[in-house]
Amino acid sequence: MQPTLLILAAGMGSRYGGVKQLDHFGPNGETIIDYSLFDAIRAGFGKVVFIIREELRQDFDEVFSQKLAGKIEVDYAIQSLSSYVPEELGEVTRTKPWGTGHAMLCAKNHTHAPFAVINADDFYGLEAFQLISDFLKTDTDDQLHAMVSYEVKNTLSENGSVSRGVCEVAENGNLASVIERTKIYEQEASAGEKKIVFEEADGLTTLAPDTPVSMNFWGFKLSVFPLLQHQFESYAMANINSPKAEFYIPTVMTNLIQTDTGHCKVFRSRSAWFGVTYPEDKPVVQASLKKLHDEGAYPAKLW
């Protein structure tokens, strides 16, 4: 069975200042999603599920449905604030989405094969899609999931701090822990050198440049959904009055590892990674994509 690709595209784009999921970055006006889809199809994915807000449905349909016809099955899952929130909690008054773990849960009824999850605004490269696709097609352990990691030094923005899932990998190549750090950046050190740090309430912690981090490229077996739903319902119960609380995929994976209900194989990708957090990132991404076209990694036109 061909695996399914879930694309997390319901974000508000508050730091970017707009719907960056549909912004034009390629030399022919391609979105970053276009490159992910092109690579996913080459790697053998058979279906894509866009996880979006209801108000984006028509825009996504206009941009993607026609160009993908006959190439990959297309579906849409709506991430609403009340989806999968226990009824006894009453009306949900928050305006911020519940986070990536909740978004994945919103695709539960649209996903019937082992699946990958990616961000809409990150470029991952063909290698990453091939690694996850091969894993999902061949591995038969329902409790073994996977992720593609990148070195933190290759995932920073020159224009501000970034959020990354900082990973610890065990000797057997499986994920030991992943902790979401929401403020990672580079700062000046001694003798004009720089160091990478993440910021917390109690100060700064230094990260080695080759520290593996999650860029939200995950591969899951279907067995994760009942566990995911249970986790989110508990999280919602505990955080219904916390309007900024977010239920992240790394939180889900950490719980699976700690309760011995799931494990995660870590693949290390050497592919180029780049993404968009701030408006100032756009020219860098545009130049990187043009270079890939010029080098022959992608045809003159994707579609």
Side-chain angles (χ1 to χ4, degrees), residues 4-34:
T4 294
L5 178 66
L6 309 186
I7 299 183
L8 303 170
M12 305 291 285
S14 55
R15 285 183 289 185
Y16 187 71
V19 184
K20 58 184 173 179
Q21 302 95 311
L22 298 178
D23 202 355
H24 300 163
F25 295 93
N28 305 294
E30 297 92 346
T31 66
I32 292 180
I33 293 175
D34 279 308

Side-chain angles (χ1 to χ4, degrees), residues 241-258:
N241 295 316
S242 302
K244 294 186 178 181
E246 290 191 70
F247 182 62
Y248 295 115
I249 293 177
T251 304
V252 176
M253 187 58 73
T254 297
N255 184 273
L256 295 179
I257 294 169
Q258 291 177 346

Side-chain angles (χ1 to χ4, degrees), residues 6 14 21 38 40 44 66 69 71 80 84 112 124 146 148 189 244 255 301:
L6 309 186
S14 55
Q21 302 95 311
F38 189 81
Q66 184 173 353
K71 299 179 179 69
S80 71
Y84 293 95
H112 310 290
Y124 296 99
V148 178
K244 294 186 178 181
N255 184 273
K301 288 190 175 182

